[in-house]
Amino acid sequence: MSFQIDFQPLGRRVDVEPGATILEAAQSAGIGLSAVCGGVGLCGRCLVRLAPAAPVSPPNEDELTLLSPEAVAAGLRLACQVKLLGSVRVEVPPESLTAPQRTQVEGEEEPVDLAPEITAYELILPPAALKDLRSDWERLADGLSARGAPRPQRPRVRILARLAALLRANDWRIRVGLRRDEVVNVAPPETPLLGLAVDLGTTKVAAYLIDLLSGRTLAMGAVMNPQIAYGEDVLSRISFTMENPEGSNLLQKTVVNALSELAAHLCAEAGRKPEAGRTGAYDPGQIAEMVIVGNTAMHHLLLKLPVRQLGLAPYVAAVSSPLDIKASEIGLDLGPGSTIHLLPNIAGFVGGDHVAMLLATGTHRKKGVVISLDIGTNTEISLAAHGRLMSCSTASGPAFEGAHIRDGMRAADGAIERVRIVDGRLEYQTIGGVPPVGICGSGVLEALAQLKLAGIIDGRGAMDKDHPLVRQGNFGLEVVLAAATRTRHGRDVVLSRKDISEIQLAKGAIRAGLTILLKHAGLEPDDVNEFIIAGAFGTYIDVPSAITIGMFPRLPRERFRQVGNAAGIGAKLALLSSPLRAEAAALAARIDYLDLIQEPGFTSIFAESIGI
Ligand code: FES
């Protein structure tokens, strides 16, 4: 007899013998479930969720020690401790996975009623004849009218240029993409009509290729934003445009090339999927509509709008309303009439990506008190409370991306991402399970929490110089996370006092933003019913560690939700549904933006928030 274990949302199933643990089942299914302590019930990293009354062993002592009663009631269990007594469905939260399994483009999504801006019509038109001398365009317009579609206006030259040959090569049969009263795409019958949803981040660009007729995601992927070559963060890119006469042109061209390559790559990938059954049948010329979301600076740089004012108080955007532009206006060569819709910006430092995140998480529709935040170099935070919606942006800096940390690195193979101090010994786990080369943001955050819990650092971040894990380094006190003998480059990977200060500043900025938003709403942290953490970094942080260092308020674990790339999912929703696009515009208009710098008491709240 064996049981079937169904791991979701990974969609992987495996048969196991009775009595095996969920961790063992995950390992035999090739799922990289985090298990820093090696499965002995000490680290709490292997969290999974089970349905009530699932046929498994009851929570044991280790689980009851590590998990709160609320967490157990919510179905959370330690995979290494749960013995299987029957077939079960196991939900694996993204933060329980080791890095190779994760991509930066996935996020939680709900099904949506398909209602894109573009409608496809398959037409069979009467051929031109001596007795019927209507032009090709008139013939097409009449065909659409006869189908009850709005009569198209303003024919585009790029459409007209294709029309004659297309009609004659396909026996006067044609597939037309109509956007309100504008023909945006013409193609042979049954050609797919595609859409592209893009999350244009400062660091990475994530995109989803969508079949607009079925709503299916055909392919998704991400590349680094090549503008990085001209400045790591938003402010340095703004300076680049100010110091170089050709700066704006260059930045726009760079990102447009990346979008064009990403579109081509995703089309090729979609064509390779066996289930698509139409190898080679996708090409970027079929992309009729795009939705792009990004922070205000990325939005402006894409459109080559002035950005100087974004870097100067009072940090005002050139435009905040939603925009529809033609892809050709920015030099992006997609379908002949391809439109790009840009979601609205809220302020100079809160852009359409945050609006998309709110749309995807439904923050604005929820009852009670909800915090939603996306952690990055700038962290955007929104608070929805009893019908009110407020947002702010806080300069959390690049420390969580590994910058300004001595051995810091981005989340890539060899980065220490998990740290535990067990019985006085420091244990770690690296992305990819390979020898360490540095430490990424989530690793630093955990290291800090573990040092605090072990009494190695105090509330100000100062190290106990007499502790056996602390030594005097060349630049002050430090803790060796991985000794040179175990690292790939043969050097120690350390965490210094200065690194700790960097993280304190970053987490202090986030906590100060949270405190001020709650204060404005007359609320206490404990009033928060749901705390939504979006974005790549936010997905993989260990929430208890973030609470330990005081970055997040001390709320029960089950009130936190890590949702992945919600901005990208929001872009997808706006691509698939015009009503949701309108909802995004309406929610952005409702938001009260709070400028933290103008807040009386900001400096003292920030100073208080730095403590651990
Ligand atoms: S692997 Fe389950 S608690 Fe550590």
Side-chain angles (χ1 to χ4, degrees):
M1 182 179 57
S2 66
F3 303 138
Q4 189 177 76
I5 316 305
D6 178 7
F7 289 96
Q8 290 299 335
L10 308 168
R12 230 167 286 169
R13 291 198 183 88
V14 66
D15 291 326
V16 295
E17 296 299 308
T21 65
I22 292 180
L23 179 62
E24 286 162 350
Q27 285 162 344
S28 65
I31 295 168
L33 204 54
S34 218
V36 178
C37 69
V40 296
L42 278 177
C43 70
R45 288 301 321 164
C46 59
L47 272 186
V48 292
R49 198 187 300 271
L50 298 174
V56 295
S57 58
N60 66 14
E61 218 171 287
D62 287 336
E63 293 182 275
L64 295 175
T65 311
L66 279 175
L67 303 175
S68 69
E70 291 83 6
V72 174
L76 289 175
R77 301 289 303 271
L78 297 180
C80 65
Q81 301 300 305
V82 181
K83 292 204 167 25
L84 293 159
L85 308 174
S87 296
V88 289
R89 184 177 190 275
V90 178
E91 196 188 315
V92 185
E95 66 272 20
S96 296
L97 291 171
T98 54
Q101 306 258 333
R102 55 204 203 197
T103 73
Q104 296 187 314
V105 290
E106 284 158 352
E108 280 184 16
E109 58 187 303
E110 303 281 338
V112 59
D113 290 336
L114 198 58
E117 283 285 310
I118 297 180
T119 311
Y121 291 88
E122 296 277 340
L123 301 178
I124 303 176
L125 301 175
L130 284 174
K131 285 192 180 143
D132 180 359
L133 294 174
R134 286 174 297 165
S135 68
D136 291 342
W137 175 256
E138 288 306 315
R139 198 172 301 274
L140 179 80
D142 290 344
L144 284 166
S145 299
R147 291 282 297 275
R151 190 170 184 86
Q153 308 294 326
R154 299 179 306 279
R156 293 194 163 268
V157 173
R158 290 182 74 196
I159 297 281
L160 296 176
R162 296 182 177 203
L163 198 52
L166 256 177
L167 287 173
R168 285 157 184 87
N170 292 284
D171 276 341
W172 301 86
R173 291 170 67 231
I174 191 165
R175 201 267 291 119
V176 182
L178 192 67
R179 190 181 200 269
R180 296 170 210 156
D181 63 358
E182 182 192 354
V183 172
V184 289
N185 200 276
V186 286
E190 289 168 34
T191 306
L193 189 64
L194 303 179
L196 193 70
V198 178
D199 172 19
L200 178 56
T202 313
T203 309
K204 72 162 205 299
V205 185
Y208 308 78
L209 183 70
I210 313 280
D211 180 335
L212 288 177
L213 303 181
S214 67
R216 224 159 45 94
T217 301
L218 301 169
M220 56 187 175
V223 292
M224 295 301 276
N225 185 335
Q227 290 177 338
I228 282 183
Y230 305 98
E232 273 240 310
D233 53 29
V234 162
L235 287 178
S236 45
R237 278 178 225 174
I238 292 176
S239 311
F240 180 77
T241 63
M242 284 157 56
E243 285 156 16
N244 297 278
E246 275 304 298
S248 296
N249 275 339
L250 203 56
L251 288 184
Q252 185 192 48
K253 222 171 166 180
T254 308
V255 80
V256 164
N257 283 345
L259 288 172
S260 172
E261 278 167 24
L262 197 50
H265 169 77
L266 294 182
C267 284
E269 192 173 310
R272 273 197 296 271
K273 285 188 185 160
E275 68 268 27
R278 47 188 336 142
T279 305
Y282 299 102
D283 87 65
Q286 296 154 4
I287 297 175
E289 179 97 353
M290 281 177 82
V291 170
I292 300 185
V293 303
N295 61 49
T296 312
M298 290 307 108
H299 168 284
H300 283 31
L301 290 173
L302 176 72
L303 302 184
K304 223 164 66 180
L305 293 174
V307 285
R308 182 187 164 84
Q309 79 290 354
L310 292 179
L312 298 167
Y315 315 106
V316 173
V319 59
S320 53
S321 50
L323 287 180
D324 278 346
I325 62 157
K326 286 291 161 199
S328 52
E329 284 181 69
I330 58 166
L332 189 53
D333 190 19
L334 298 174
S338 264
T339 310
I340 300 178
H341 178 81
L342 294 116
L343 255 53
N345 297 311
I346 299 169
F349 280 103
V350 184
D353 52 350
H354 192 63
V355 176
M357 186 270 245
L358 294 174
L359 183 71
T361 55
T363 300
H364 56 296
R365 281 187 244 117
K366 289 181 191 279
K367 300 214 166 36
V369 179
V370 183
I371 295 261
S372 293
L373 84 177
D374 193 339
I375 303 171
T377 311
N378 275 297
T379 296
E380 298 94 20
I381 313 175
S382 278
L383 169 69
H386 313 303
R388 201 172 160 202
L389 206 49
M390 287 188 287
S391 294
C392 70
S393 164
T394 176
S396 38
F400 289 132
E401 284 169 8
H404 302 179
I405 302 291
R406 197 161 128 207
D407 285 320
M409 62 184 284
R410 285 193 203 285
D413 272 5
I416 294 178
E417 62 161 350
R418 301 281 169 231
V419 177
R420 284 290 180 272
I421 296 176
V422 183
D423 296 334
R425 272 199 341 271
L426 199 142
E427 313 265 359
Y428 59 78
Q429 183 173 299
T430 60
I431 296 177
V434 297
V437 278
I439 184 162
C440 64
S442 53
V444 179
L445 191 137
E446 284 202 37
L448 204 57
Q450 289 292 304
L451 295 178
K452 176 70 172 49
L453 289 172
I456 298 170
I457 57 172
D458 64 16
R460 290 173 299 120
M463 286 182 179
D464 172 1
K465 62 177 178 17
D466 299 322
H467 194 281
L469 288 179
V470 177
R471 74 177 186 194
Q472 182 66 45
N474 291 342
F475 305 98
L477 295 177
E478 61 189 25
V479 170
V480 179
L481 300 171
T485 48
R486 296 175 70 188
T487 62
R488 203 189 305 166
H489 45 44
R491 279 183 283 110
D492 292 338
V493 173
V494 303
L495 192 72
S496 69
R497 175 67 182 92
K498 189 178 157 295
D499 298 337
I500 292 174
S501 301
E502 289 286 343
I503 295 297
Q504 283 182 270
L505 291 174
K507 74 98 188 171
I510 294 171
R511 187 59 190 264
L514 288 166
T515 304
I516 290 172
L517 277 182
L518 286 167
K519 203 172 116 210
H520 260 267
L523 296 166
E524 295 297 325
D526 204 34
D527 295 323
V528 177
N529 306 107
E530 194 174 350
F531 196 107
I532 299 171
I533 310 157
F537 172 68
T539 302
Y540 305 118
I541 57 173
D542 180 49
V543 169
S545 295
I547 294 174
T548 300
I549 67 165
M551 182 161 102
F552 294 160
R554 193 164 289 283
L555 297 172
R557 177 67 180 87
E558 59 281 2
R559 289 196 205 169
F560 289 89
R561 244 179 80 209
Q562 287 160 286
V563 295
N565 184 10
I569 301 301
K572 242 168 97 168
L573 295 178
L575 182 65
L576 291 171
S577 161
S578 297
L580 286 177
R581 196 179 283 195
E583 191 174 320
L587 89 86
R590 260 179 64 200
I591 291 177
D592 287 330
Y593 175 69
L594 225 67
D595 185 350
L596 293 182
I597 302 297
Q598 305 290 333
E599 276 304 302
F602 170 74
T603 316
S604 58
I605 292 174
F606 176 56
E608 276 166 32
S609 306
I610 284 174
I612 298 168

